[in-house]
Amino acid sequence: MKSAGTSTFTAAARVLAMRVSDVGLAVPGFRSPPRIVGVDRTVRRGRDGVGGVVAVRIADRPFTAVIGDMIEGVKSLGMETCVTLGMLSDGQARTLKDAGLDYYNHNLDTSETYYSEIITTRTYQDRLDTLDRVRQAGLNVCCGGILGMGESDDDRASLLVQLANLPQHPESVPINNLVQVEGTPLHGTASLDLLEFVRTIAVARITMPKARVRLSAGRQELGEAIQALCFMAGANSIFYGDKLLTTGNPEAERDRALMQKLGLHAMRGAC
């Protein structure tokens, strides 16, 4: 079996690290393995038993073993787990399920028609096939898209139609607002009318009534007023903490203040 490379591991570690940062603690130092000879994972609980830090050994270990240790470690802290690892085979999906994974994130990103304008390394059907494998393995599905990539109104509608017509609605539907990064191909793309973002949230809620519709990347750029409209339109989840993969996220204190202003309360145990 293939050992986990640092770059591959880090992509998965960031998502699991958010589960720990959600409770306001330091993000786990996954690249600093346990110092005890023969020990592959350590779990240090936070003060008062809330959250904590999980550290796992990477070198000379199969990738599935590393991921399994991460999942089990985070779950031992009383939190749900979600990873995003790209395309999966049937066997890989079952391995993640057996390790105790709760959610698998694999976004469709945009409509099937516009997809080839954004992504060329895999097909739309490849993504749908991975979603099917995740579902068949008994994992919860986290699947949504990115708005503001130059897509049309029809593309946004088509994305939601595709999500709503999956054999089973995703349990989690992250709606991302493109964060333009200088030097990347989409830098300079015309900004999306933010009311269109709100409308997309509203349609997602109507078409997938039981899903957690998540405000995801790009919340800093939305501002409090648009976020408030999104919550009123049906969003009922956010990615919480000051970092979302490679882009910034509103500070936890600001999020708590906004929730208080809007009279919103966090669900215990929510992923």
Side-chain angles (χ1 to χ4, degrees):
M1 297 180 71
K2 186 178 179 181
S3 295
T6 299
S7 60
T8 305
F9 170 84
T10 301
R14 282 173 176 159
V15 177
L16 287 174
M18 286 191 292
R19 303 285 80 80
V20 173
S21 66
D22 280 352
V23 294
L25 300 175
V27 171
F30 285 115
R31 282 189 266 183
S32 298
R35 303 298 183 188
I36 305 170
V37 175
V39 174
D40 293 323
R41 180 188 69 215
T42 59
V43 177
R44 186 172 74 248
R45 295 189 178 278
R47 294 178 180 178
D48 302 321
V50 179
V53 175
V54 178
V56 299
R57 188 179 304 279
I58 305 172
D60 303 319
R61 302 184 64 212
F63 183 57
T64 51
V66 173
I67 292 295
D69 273 350
M70 291 166 59
I71 292 169
E72 291 173 3
V74 172
K75 286 180 75 70
S76 75
L77 297 171
M79 292 179 281
E80 291 181 320
T81 52
C82 178
V83 300
T84 178
L85 302 170
M87 313 299 292
L88 291 180
S89 66
D90 290 335
Q92 289 170 329
R94 287 193 297 271
T95 296
L96 291 171
K97 174 63 175 178
D98 292 343
L101 184 68
D102 297 299
Y103 287 76
Y104 192 81
N105 169 254
H106 196 65
N107 289 336
L108 291 178
D109 291 333
T110 188
S111 70
E112 186 170 9
T113 302
Y114 194 61
Y115 182 84
S116 61
E117 299 294 322
I118 303 298
I119 298 164
T120 58
T121 56
R122 64 204 65 174
T123 68
Y124 207 72
Q125 188 59 51
D126 287 335
R127 289 185 179 267
L128 291 172
D129 289 344
T130 287
L131 290 174
D132 183 60
R133 293 182 184 112
V134 168
R135 185 63 79 190
Q136 291 299 319
L139 291 164
N140 292 312
V141 171
C142 175
C143 183
I146 307 172
L147 309 187
M149 298 191 294
E151 77 283 348
S152 67
D153 292 347
D154 286 346
D155 289 318
R156 290 189 287 277
S158 179
L159 168 64
L160 294 176
V161 168
Q162 182 71 67
L163 290 170
N165 281 280
L166 291 171
Q168 182 177 338
H169 290 164
E171 283 75 16
S172 170
V173 180
I175 306 296
N176 298 272
N177 176 39
L178 177 69
V179 179
Q180 298 194 21
V181 178
E182 189 172 355
T184 59
L186 293 179
H187 184 255
T189 301
S191 297
L192 178 71
D193 182 335
L194 293 182
L195 287 181
E196 290 299 324
F197 190 94
V198 177
R199 289 189 183 101
T200 303
I201 294 291
V203 176
R205 169 53 60 221
I206 292 168
T207 55
M208 293 169 279
K210 294 183 179 180
R212 290 176 181 164
V213 178
R214 300 180 183 272
L215 296 183
S216 304
R219 279 201 300 120
Q220 278 187 317
E221 287 71 21
L222 295 180
E224 288 192 351
I226 292 295
Q227 287 186 71
L229 284 175
C230 287
F231 289 125
M232 299 306 107
N236 62 346
S237 178
I238 60 172
F239 280 108
Y240 180 74
D242 62 0
K243 195 78 168 178
L244 183 58
L245 297 182
T246 59
T247 59
N249 215 29
E251 295 177 357
E253 193 61 42
R254 285 175 55 193
D255 278 338
R256 286 194 291 268
L258 177 59
M259 297 300 108
Q260 186 173 15
K261 275 196 276 187
L262 298 176
L264 300 176
H265 305 281
M267 294 173 57
R268 292 191 62 82
C271 174

